Amino acid sequence: MAYNGGPMTEAMYYVLLALMHPNHGYQLMHAITEVSNGRLKMGPGTLYGVLSRMQTDGLISLTEDDGRRKTYQITSEGEHALRTEYSRLKSLIQDGNILEIGDENE
């Protein structure tokens, strides 16, 4: 199913964040763990499934394939999608502030 601009999966979001700098699969797994402060550890099966789907959707592109490893980079469409998702997530957090206001009234 092609990406339609709706909410991203957590895996998609972190892969795009990690691809703000071109990277290959093994490095990507480490970059995702680092970017998520260790909260998300993505295995090869999940990573390569997400990479394949995002490449098909035009969110990332292959920059190098030396036969042993492939290096990917985010496309301008992917960066736009990432920034749109980031704005959506910020809005969710901002809307959730009502919970903190509720705590002040207790």
Side-chain angles (χ1 to χ4, degrees):
M1 181 165 152
Y3 178 66
N4 61 6
M8 289 183 184
T9 64
E10 188 175 29
M12 289 175 67
Y13 184 76
Y14 278 102
V15 166
L16 289 177
L17 277 177
L19 283 176
M20 291 302 291
H21 303 287
N23 234 328
H24 62 78
Y26 184 73
Q27 288 176 325
L28 266 174
M29 287 190 281
H30 288 285
I32 289 165
T33 300
E34 185 177 318
V35 167
S36 69
N37 294 311
R39 194 178 56 76
L40 183 63
K41 293 181 179 164
M42 193 174 297
T46 301
L47 176 65
Y48 287 105
V50 170
L51 288 172
S52 176
R53 189 174 65 232
M54 291 198 310
Q55 190 176 1
T56 300
D57 292 345
L59 300 176
I60 64 171
S61 64
L62 188 63
T63 61
E64 187 178 330
D65 183 355
D66 68 3
R68 288 187 36 206
R69 62 183 179 192
K70 297 177 179 177
T71 301
Y72 300 89
Q73 70 178 9
I74 192 168
T75 63
S76 58
E77 185 178 341
E79 188 170 342
H80 175 74
L82 178 61
R83 291 183 184 279
T84 300
E85 180 67 1
Y86 176 67
S87 293
R88 186 186 76 81
L89 293 171
K90 280 186 5 185
S91 294
L92 290 175
I93 295 298
Q94 190 173 22
D95 293 346
N97 283 340
I98 194 167
L99 296 173
E100 293 183 20
I101 292 169
D103 288 344
E104 291 175 2
N105 294 331
E106 291 179 7

